[in-house]
Amino acid sequence: MSDVRGARSEARGADGGAQSVTGEARGARLSDRVRDAIRRHAAEAYPYECCGALIGAAIDDELVELVEIVDAKPLDNVTEEGPRRRFRVSATDYRQSEARARELGAELVGFYHSHPDHPAQPSQYDLDHAWPNFSYVIVAVAHGRPGDIRSWRLRPDRSQFDEETLA
Amino acid sequence: MTPILIPTPLRAYTGKKDTVHVTGATIGEALHALTAEYADLRQHLFTPEGKLRSFVNVYVNDEDIRYLQKDATPLKAGDTVSIVPSVAGGAGAAAPTRSAELTPDDIKRYSRHLILPEVGVEGQQKLKASRVLLIGAGGLGSPAGLYLAAAGVGRIGIVDFDAVDFSNLQRQILHGTSDVGRSKLQSAQDRLLAINPDLEVDTYETALTSKNALDLFKDYDVILDGTDNFPTRYLVNDACVLLGKPNAYGSIFRFEGQASVFGVAGGPCYRCLYPEPPPPGLVPSCAEGGVLGVLPGVIGTIQATEAIKLILGTGQPLVGRLLLYDAFNMRFRELKLRRDPACPVCGDHPTVTALIDYDQFCGVAPAASAPVAETTVQELKARIDRGDRLFILDVREPNEFQICRIPGTTLIPLGELPRRLDEIPQGPGAPDIVVHCKMGGRSAKAVRQLTEKGFTRVQNLKGGILEWIDRIDPTQAKY
């Protein structure tokens, strides 16, 4: 727990932009191993978008919401709209991801996907399809090389994404 | 009571419960009961109009209700309902691939686009970041390339391996008289950059083949098919479907053209329209059949229009519709096309999952046609000069005959040959027969027909009258 709190204060110190409108700080913590796995998947899938499930635990208290991501599971991109600009997770993979999280005694906390040759910011399309209470981790891939990783969370009124500090 | 399984992201609205029990005879009633109890769920499950959001999947046991009776799907004892999020997203339609910020020069150049609400700054940036591959820099590729370059498409790739010929200039407006003999790629690049120096042009001096197509296509957003033959057309189609790339298709013949957009998810492909290629030789090429020069101007600009709309993600694309244009009677018609679920490439259970040999598929592989007896223009000239008794048969059309001819020939167009056989000398003592056309294709067919009818000593003139003009009589005009 001290680890989590340490990361939290570090995260808040590092980037004031992680303050959400409600005044709560939000953050997600990604180990180097998970971060590398996501980046590797994104580079392999280039020029197409990759996607995968994030498994971990959400830790809530009054001051901060922190998501600890312990595993990233690559999933098939089954979009029918061209994988260059889109991803979709099949219903089967979604259900298996929840089941897998349960087996691990953890939770499905969100999904990651890549933006080939595009910044790690959610698009309008991402917003239109977003679910609340999930971390959406986006990794930018420029000419096949993974770049920025950022994490986003849908505002409860669906109006926009707020960035989460990624530690 | 029916249990509804609540997915992780929505449990925040159900007091962390992963299962909620509700009463309802149908799915619609059960979901209504659920959102009546947990009102915060409503906006995540339903649109403001009360329709289930497209990315919300509802299952009864293991069946998606879309394949049952949707809202009206009845529920019985023992059923379990699951709400399964469809997790989707992505960088958006044709998102910028490099810095697509508009410069002050861009703003001046594209001002007529920028003031269109349907294009605007965002659309112009999409165009600037977009990449279109032209298959062929000929009749269709010319107007398409010119307009795409002018419109501000950032990168245009061109695949072609031909040189500019005088006979191209009547319709291939990328090339000018001084370009005759130059590579079409060089000529096209110069012309496109003259219109728009900010454009990046990638040139591929190669034939499009099953080996290189996927690699060439993968870096482009839209493929524009300006090919003039069936094997390449099927190749472009299949490669686009396999890669999930839209294919702005067009083709032309004499006074008629057609256009459509293939390879878009859910829409048909060229094979849904034409599952089988025509028998080889049935449909003449433009070189054989002729083409009105301005016709590709109309069809190529339609293809460019569709490419631009696909990049902008706006308007009604020509998907699922085949536009037919008849320049002679000045008429446009539209046919509805549907994706064929049994299509071998884009159907539900595709059997073509890699590129194949398209020459073989279209029956134009060299081995497919039996060889015919041939003679050369030099031999023919020598025999004429020696005074040999010869019957030289020209199977071209009368309008071609008016342009140029070999002296002393008899004209019988290929189509009239079967009913005019009595005009050809036959039997003991009859002269040898030499058949020619423009390039040797039609005359080879004529030689086969004559041989089948019992004519002996029939030869095809290799290279046709074009070869004759090149080697023997350069004073005559080529066409």
Side-chain angles (χ1 to χ4, degrees), chain A residues 48-49 60 80-82 84-89 91 94-95 98 107-108 111 113 115 117-118 123 125-126 128-134 156-158, chain B residues 7-13 16 43-44 53 55-57 59 61-62 82 84-97 131 221 243 265:
Chain A
Y48 302 122
E49 294 200 5
D60 290 303
E80 285 153 350
E81 296 175 67
R84 185 83 178 90
R85 300 276 170 240
R86 294 276 194 272
F87 81 92
R88 188 167 72 81
V89 172
Y94 180 88
R95 296 172 97 174
E98 280 211 354
E107 281 174 53
L108 181 64
F111 286 85
H113 71 279
H115 277 182
D117 300 315
H118 191 77
S123 63
Y125 192 87
D126 285 327
D128 292 343
H129 292 79
W131 288 83
N133 308 305
F134 266 162
D157 64 1
R158 305 196 59 87
Chain B
T8 316
L10 298 183
R11 287 178 204 156
Y13 310 113
K16 307 232 156 152
Q43 64 165 329
H44 297 294
R53 288 188 184 273
F55 50 89
V56 178
N57 300 317
Y59 282 68
N61 306 319
D62 280 328
S82 315
V84 181
S86 172
V87 175
T97 55
R131 299 150 310 170
D221 304 311
L243 290 171

Side-chain angles (χ1 to χ4, degrees), chain B residues 118-142:
Chain B
E118 292 81 359
V119 182
V121 171
E122 199 188 328
Q124 195 63 49
Q125 286 174 335
K126 286 181 183 172
L127 288 171
K128 190 173 181 179
S130 70
R131 299 150 310 170
V132 178
L133 183 65
L134 305 179
I135 312 300
L140 295 169
S142 284

Side-chain angles (χ1 to χ4, degrees), chain B residues 376-382 384-385 392 404-407 436 438 461-476 478:
Chain B
T376 64
V377 291
Q378 289 90 347
E379 277 169 22
L380 178 63
K381 175 79 165 78
I384 293 172
D385 291 348
I392 307 174
C404 53
R405 67 190 75 164
I406 295 173
H436 85 85
K438 183 183 177 189
L461 183 65
K462 220 170 138 183
I465 194 162
L466 293 188
E467 185 82 0
W468 174 269
I469 294 170
D470 278 344
R471 309 269 172 202
I472 310 295
D473 183 8
T475 62
Q476 293 206 65
K478 277 167 66 176

Side-chain angles (χ1 to χ4, degrees), chain B residues 165-181:
Chain B
D165 185 85
F166 270 109
S167 67
N168 299 150
L169 303 179
Q170 159 255 24
R171 65 195 178 285
Q172 301 184 11
I173 56 175
L174 269 174
H175 319 294
T177 308
S178 60
D179 295 316
V180 170

Side-chain angles (χ1 to χ4, degrees), chain B residues 63-84:
Chain B
E63 290 283 346
D64 190 327
I65 60 163
R66 281 190 191 93
Y67 306 114
L68 300 171
Q69 296 161 50
K70 300 183 178 152
D71 269 7
T73 306
L75 292 172
K76 55 183 191 308
D79 280 344
T80 300
V81 175
S82 315
I83 296 171
V84 181

